[in-house]
Amino acid sequence: MKTVLLIDDEQRMLDLLSLYIEPYGYTCIKKRSGNEGLEILYHKSVDLVILDIMMPELDGWETCEKIRKISDVPIIMLTARSEKEDVVKGLKKGADDYLVKPFHEEELIARLEAIMRRTSRTSHSENIIYFEGLLINQSTYQVTYQEKELVLTPKEYGLLGLFLENQDKVFSREHLLSTLWGLKAETEDRTIDSHIRNMREKLRKANFPVEQYLKTVWGIGYKWVSDK
């Protein structure tokens, strides 16, 4: 079952949208602010976003821009603003379609299903790893925390990606050496400790609470815990 993320500051509109959409075989996630919607996208894959423009704090245009930094999920912008300039602005921000309130249920579903048909889900969003505001883009080899870029060495990048893709799994130093360096177990393993130390320091300087997640397993190696 495909999932649609609804972002609108009006609960009545969220309820109406889900009432229209869910009978067609979709699951709806309802959020009342841009920031709440982004938090869902940091931790969950969805198939489409329906996004209101006129919202307090973070409006739909800003939310659309932020979504496009982390995902190419299809976006339908839903608004009472019908001026041509607003439509063009929404599309330039990265929206796939634009629906003006008031709308008919049939038009909403037709647009939603048309986007679903033409949108390939083999997108670069599958190459993105999220964790508590920490983002790894495996297509561009960029790492950001709360939208600020971290400069990691290739080995540090490899370590972080390995940990985040295998949360709660304990990695021995020997395994890390073999996987990332191609070195044999008998090779001096202080190399791992040095790179872990440097990576921790960079995450710490970016204000990411690395000590809560990256744990030393004494006598064995390291693991990244999924919960604090």
Side-chain angles (χ1 to χ4, degrees), residues 17-60:
L17 287 168
S18 62
L19 182 66
Y20 285 166
I21 293 169
E22 288 181 343
Y24 289 86
Y26 298 94
T27 297
C28 292
I29 299 174
K30 298 183 282 188
K31 294 297 174 182
R32 295 189 61 179
S33 74
N35 286 322
E36 288 182 4
L38 285 164
E39 188 65 24
I40 291 294
L41 291 170
Y42 281 129
H43 298 94
K44 181 179 176 64
S45 176
V46 303
D47 296 285
L48 185 135
V49 175
I50 297 180
L51 174 64
D52 184 40
I53 286 183
M54 302 307 292
M55 297 186 294
E57 296 181 12
L58 196 67
D59 64 30

Side-chain angles (χ1 to χ4, degrees), residues 145-160:
Y145 177 58
Q146 295 181 343
E147 301 185 12
K148 295 181 180 179
E149 186 170 1
L150 283 73
V151 179
L152 302 182
T153 68
K155 296 303 183 187
E156 292 163 358
Y157 174 89
L159 283 166
L160 183 60

Side-chain angles (χ1 to χ4, degrees), residues 102-115:
F103 55 88
H104 293 288
E105 174 187 352
E106 293 82 1
E107 183 181 7
L108 170 65
I109 298 304
R111 288 175 181 264
L112 184 155
E113 294 191 333
I115 288 178

Side-chain angles (χ1 to χ4, degrees), residues 32-168:
R32 295 189 61 179
S33 74
N35 286 322
E36 288 182 4
L38 285 164
E39 188 65 24
I40 291 294
L41 291 170
Y42 281 129
H43 298 94
K44 181 179 176 64
S45 176
V46 303
D47 296 285
L48 185 135
V49 175
I50 297 180
L51 174 64
D52 184 40
I53 286 183
M54 302 307 292
M55 297 186 294
E57 296 181 12
L58 196 67
D59 64 30
W61 286 313
E62 293 174 292
T63 303
C64 185
E65 281 188 315
K66 288 179 179 291
I67 291 173
R68 280 292 167 258
K69 290 180 180 179
I70 63 172
S71 175
D72 61 357
V73 60
I75 300 171
I76 297 176
M77 299 198 86
L78 188 64
T79 181
R81 302 173 66 106
S82 60
E83 291 83 356
K84 179 180 178 181
E85 293 78 10
D86 293 327
V87 175
V88 171
K89 183 176 180 179
L91 296 175
K92 284 185 175 180
K93 296 290 186 182
D96 296 87
D97 204 347
Y98 201 104
L99 189 59
V100 177
K101 302 174 184 176
F103 55 88
H104 293 288
E105 174 187 352
E106 293 82 1
E107 183 181 7
L108 170 65
I109 298 304
R111 288 175 181 264
L112 184 155
E113 294 191 333
I115 288 178
M116 289 294 194
R117 285 194 299 270
R118 70 172 183 257
T119 302
S120 169
R121 300 308 296 142
T122 57
S123 65
H124 78 271
S125 61
E126 295 178 357
N127 294 319
I128 291 178
I129 304 171
Y130 314 102
F131 185 87
E132 299 294 336
L134 189 64
L135 181 151
I136 298 180
N137 188 321
Q138 296 177 309
S139 297
T140 62
Y141 295 95
Q142 288 181 306
V143 179
T144 61
Y145 177 58
Q146 295 181 343
E147 301 185 12
K148 295 181 180 179
E149 186 170 1
L150 283 73
V151 179
L152 302 182
T153 68
K155 296 303 183 187
E156 292 163 358
Y157 174 89
L159 283 166
L160 183 60
L162 186 66
F163 286 134
L164 290 182
E165 288 184 315
N166 298 275
Q167 294 171 34
D168 298 314

